[in-house]
Amino acid sequence: DARLTIIPTGEVGIGTTDPEGNLHVRSGATSGRPAPNSGCDELIIEGTGDSGLTIFSGTSNSGKIAFGDDNHDIGRIIYDHSANDMAFFTGGSERVTITTTSVMSTVDIITEGKVQISNSTPQLLFAVPGGGLDSRIHNDNSGNFIFGTGTNSTTPTDRMKIHSGGDVEFLTANAKISGSATSTGSFGS
């Protein structure tokens, strides 16, 4: 195989004499694969094993991929080396950040597996604060799954608990209604 090929139509091949896109980089030919998607063939990276793309940046800088139309970066993926986090932008706004140290956007998935919506210090597996009302779903470390709600509270009130054995417990201001998975009957009138 030639190391570098430029065909008359302008496509460039590195490691291939038959480039299938504007720039086709091949470390090994894959057999039986389909043709590249015609909407994504400006850069083709091909190998017989793992294939990839590396973006090197300074330790206090960012590596970026931008998606644009009449707005040059309406969508972005940014890895910030100084904070060691990755942000995803859509519609020109940051939507999701995966971080190791802090929450930086509307929705975050943190290294401990916690999901946080609009809060800077998640304490639970899933929490939705905002608008004067707070909701949460958490595990109490005893195998019980708990749903809670509240108003502008750092500790929403537990409203329903699914016990590790399958019992479901409903908690209200004045009563506790519970039963087992094998119980039958109705609640209320």
Side-chain angles (χ1 to χ4, degrees):
D1 259 346
R3 294 185 188 267
L4 177 68
T5 301
I6 302 174
I7 62 174
T9 54
E11 288 87 1
V12 176
I14 298 175
T16 179
T17 57
D18 187 23
E20 297 178 74
N22 291 351
L23 175 59
H24 188 160
V25 180
R26 178 185 286 165
S27 62
T30 54
S31 62
R33 68 161 173 79
N37 182 314
S38 63
C40 308
D41 63 355
E42 285 73 24
L43 171 63
I44 300 167
I45 300 171
E46 179 181 4
T48 56
D50 295 336
S51 298
L53 171 70
T54 299
I55 299 173
F56 284 114
S57 307
T59 58
S60 60
N61 300 98
S62 299
K64 303 172 185 175
I65 299 173
F67 305 89
D69 45 32
D70 56 350
N71 182 330
H72 71 283
D73 64 353
I74 195 74
R76 287 174 280 166
I77 301 171
I78 299 175
Y79 188 87
D80 180 351
H81 292 281
S82 62
N84 287 321
D85 63 34
M86 182 173 283
F88 297 84
F89 291 71
T90 60
S93 298
E94 186 173 358
R95 304 296 182 182
V96 175
T97 299
I98 302 171
T99 177
T100 58
T101 58
S102 64
V103 176
M104 304 181 75
S105 70
T106 304
V107 177
D108 294 272
I109 303 168
I110 300 178
T111 56
E112 300 91 346
K114 297 176 183 173
V115 174
Q116 184 67 44
I117 300 175
S118 299
N119 191 321
S120 61
T121 54
Q123 301 299 316
L124 307 166
L125 291 176
F126 185 79
V128 185
L133 300 173
D134 301 322
S135 300
R136 70 178 183 177
I137 301 171
H138 68 103
N139 185 310
D140 65 1
N141 295 321
S142 296
N144 302 318
F145 196 61
I146 302 169
F147 298 82
T149 61
T151 304
N152 291 326
S153 170
T154 56
T155 310
T157 303
D158 291 343
R159 302 294 183 186
M160 183 177 81
K161 183 186 291 187
I162 301 173
H163 292 269
S164 60
D167 290 347
V168 177
E169 186 175 356
F170 297 91
L171 307 169
T172 67
N174 299 318
K176 178 175 154 180
I177 304 167
S178 61
S180 71
T182 58
S183 293
T184 60
S186 62
F187 298 106
S189 51

